[in-house]
Structure formats: C-alpha cells, structure tokens
Amino acid sequence: DAKTTQPPSMDCAEGRAANLPCNHSTISGNEYVYWYRQIHSQGPQYIIHGLKNNETNEMASLIITEDRKSSTLILPHATLRDTAVYYCIVQLYHRDDKIIFGKGTRLHILP
Amino acid sequence: GAVVSQHPSRVICKSGTSVKIECRSLDFQATTMFWYRQFPKQSLMLMATSNEGSKATYEQGVEKDKFLINHASLTLSTLTVTSAHPEDSSFYICSARDQLAGTDTQYFGPGTRLTVL
C-alpha cells in the first residue's frame, strides 16, 4: 500500500500557484519524499524530491514540514500544460526500491 | 534528464497471440528496471522488477508465465505478454533508475498501449 495520502482532485486557475498537499505521517527518518506527475497517456515524469529541507528546481518547489509528516508541492505559475495526475511517494534513497503509486491528485488547471 | 524509450508505442493484436514490448535506457545503464500496468482512470500498478542477468521478481497476483520478462543487457528489458486476451488490454509502462547519476531518480518510458481484440 502507498504510504501517502493525497486529495483526489484539485482545481487551480491558470497563472496562479498550485499547492498540492500530501500526508505521509508514517515516514521514516531515511525516507525521501518524491513527486512525479503523469500527463494523460504518457509515462510519469519526475518533478522533485527532498528529505527535510525545502527544495526548489525549475519545475516546482517542495515544502516539507518540520516533523516531516506532510509536504506541499508548489507549481508557482500554473499553466494548462500542468494539468496532470500528481503522485507523492516516499522511498528510500540509493536503493532499488520499487515505487508503489497511490491514487495521486488529479490537478485541473482552469483557463 | 535521462531518457527511457519504449517500443512499440501502440499495438493491436488478436486474442491468443503474443506481444513483446521493449524498454531501453538510452543514455544510462540500469541494472534494475520496473514494469507497470495501468488501466483507464486508475493508478500505475507494479507488475515486476526486472533484474539484469537474473530472474525477474513478480508482484503478488502477476502470472510470471504469462508476462515474461527478460533483462538481457544493462540498457534493455523486454516484457512479453503471452497468449494475450482482451482483459490484458492496458497501458504498459517501464521505468529505470540511473544509479550512477547520484540522484537515484527513477525515469519512466512513454508507455505502450496494448489493445487485444
């Protein structure tokens, strides 16, 4: 079973910041939080990952709470091309661990 | 980022035939690749872990004799759906981890849509 909980769907206006929450209350100390997204009929795409510090790259920002029990993926200026299913996953780093996908959040960007 | 390709992208076959799907890591080596299946409006379901030079590890409920996996080299894994039936129609996705890059990120192929008539 997936170790994370996400809302099934969210809407966001184009140009606004999209904030996608994820609960991972059972995360262990050496597990990272990864985010992937899947655009319709494509393979999943890696977005970002982090351990306990906030992270930012060209796609998104990841905010992890101090207790690490939850996190938020932020798309700063959402576009229609960001419409996708977003998956929050916890996994060990540098291991051949399989990824178990939950149901993710279906993000709709509204024009 | 690293690129994973799949071939074919789409295949239609008759019931009872076998279909082979290839997964290649184009610019990195992967000792481990993963195969997923996705039905419409559902999440990805892990089928098996493909290990280079050894037998694949199948998830519970996945028939290893029906879904044959061969990881012949560090850049190629194949999934063969044997004696395909309409219920095998699905979106098959592979992934590979670039273990030498230091990021441990898993990269996914674009998927293969299988339709069994």
Side-chain angles (χ1 to χ4, degrees), chain B residues 40-116:
Chain B
K41 298 192 183 300
Q42 294 187 24
S43 185
L44 287 80
M45 186 191 77
L46 181 67
M47 299 175 66
T49 301
S50 173
N51 304 299
E52 189 268 335
S54 64
K55 292 183 179 180
T57 305
Y58 290 83
E59 294 300 301
Q60 191 172 9
V62 178
E63 300 175 59
K64 61 180 181 181
D65 294 331
K66 180 170 184 60
F67 299 99
L68 301 179
I69 292 173
N70 186 357
H71 197 145
S73 74
L74 289 173
T75 60
L76 173 64
S77 175
T78 61
L79 169 68
T80 301
V81 183
T82 63
S83 187
H85 291 283
E87 57 265 29
D88 298 322
S89 297
S90 188
F91 193 48
Y92 291 86
I93 304 168
C94 71
S95 71
R97 182 173 280 117
D98 186 355
Q99 292 151 303
L100 297 180
T103 65
D104 209 44
T105 299
Q106 194 163 135
Y107 297 96
F108 289 82
T112 296
R113 188 162 300 282
L114 170 64
T115 303
V116 184

Side-chain angles (χ1 to χ4, degrees), chain A residues 34 36 38-46 49 87 91-104 106, chain B residues 31-32 34 36 38 41-46 49 59 91 93 97 99 102-111 113:
Chain A
Y34 282 78
Y36 292 84
Q38 186 180 25
I39 296 171
H40 181 63
S41 293
Q42 297 183 23
Q45 175 190 24
Y46 164 81
H49 74 281
Y87 296 98
Q91 67 177 101
L92 292 171
Y93 193 66
H94 278 307
R95 287 278 303 274
D96 283 333
D97 271 3
K98 53 194 178 186
I99 290 180
I100 303 299
F101 284 85
K103 297 184 178 178
R106 188 172 295 275
Chain B
T31 56
T32 304
F34 302 90
Y36 296 83
Q38 185 175 36
K41 298 192 183 300
Q42 294 187 24
S43 185
L44 287 80
M45 186 191 77
L46 181 67
T49 301
E59 294 300 301
F91 193 48
I93 304 168
R97 182 173 280 117
Q99 292 151 303
T103 65
D104 209 44
T105 299
Q106 194 163 135
Y107 297 96
F108 289 82
R113 188 162 300 282

Side-chain angles (χ1 to χ4, degrees), chain A residues 2 6 8 10 26 36-37 41 66-68 78 97 104-105:
Chain A
Q6 299 176 252
M10 293 182 62
T26 61
Y36 292 84
R37 73 178 181 184
S41 293
E66 193 167 340
D67 63 8
R68 304 209 323 122
D97 271 3
T105 295

Side-chain angles (χ1 to χ4, degrees), chain A:
Chain A
D1 291 334
K3 302 178 183 178
T4 63
T5 304
Q6 299 176 252
S9 67
M10 293 182 62
D11 292 338
C12 178
E14 188 177 19
R16 297 283 189 153
N19 298 290
L20 291 90
C22 178
N23 287 323
H24 31 79
S25 58
T26 61
I27 191 170
S28 62
N30 54 354
E31 285 184 316
Y32 283 66
V33 179
Y34 282 78
W35 283 83
Y36 292 84
R37 73 178 181 184
Q38 186 180 25
I39 296 171
H40 181 63
S41 293
Q42 297 183 23
Q45 175 190 24
Y46 164 81
I47 300 173
I48 199 168
H49 74 281
L51 181 62
K52 55 183 178 181
N53 297 323
N54 297 337
E55 301 288 344
T56 295
N57 62 20
E58 64 278 4
M59 290 182 68
S61 295
L62 174 60
I63 309 297
I64 302 174
T65 58
E66 193 167 340
D67 63 8
R68 304 209 323 122
K69 292 186 177 183
S70 65
S71 61
T72 300
L73 178 74
I74 301 173
L75 307 178
H77 305 287
T79 71
L80 296 177
R81 287 179 293 182
D82 293 321
T83 294
V85 178
Y86 287 76
Y87 296 98
C88 170
I89 293 161
V90 297
Q91 67 177 101
L92 292 171
Y93 193 66
H94 278 307
R95 287 278 303 274
D96 283 333
D97 271 3
K98 53 194 178 186
I99 290 180
I100 303 299
F101 284 85
K103 297 184 178 178
T105 295
R106 188 172 295 275
L107 177 65
H108 296 102
I109 305 301
L110 307 175

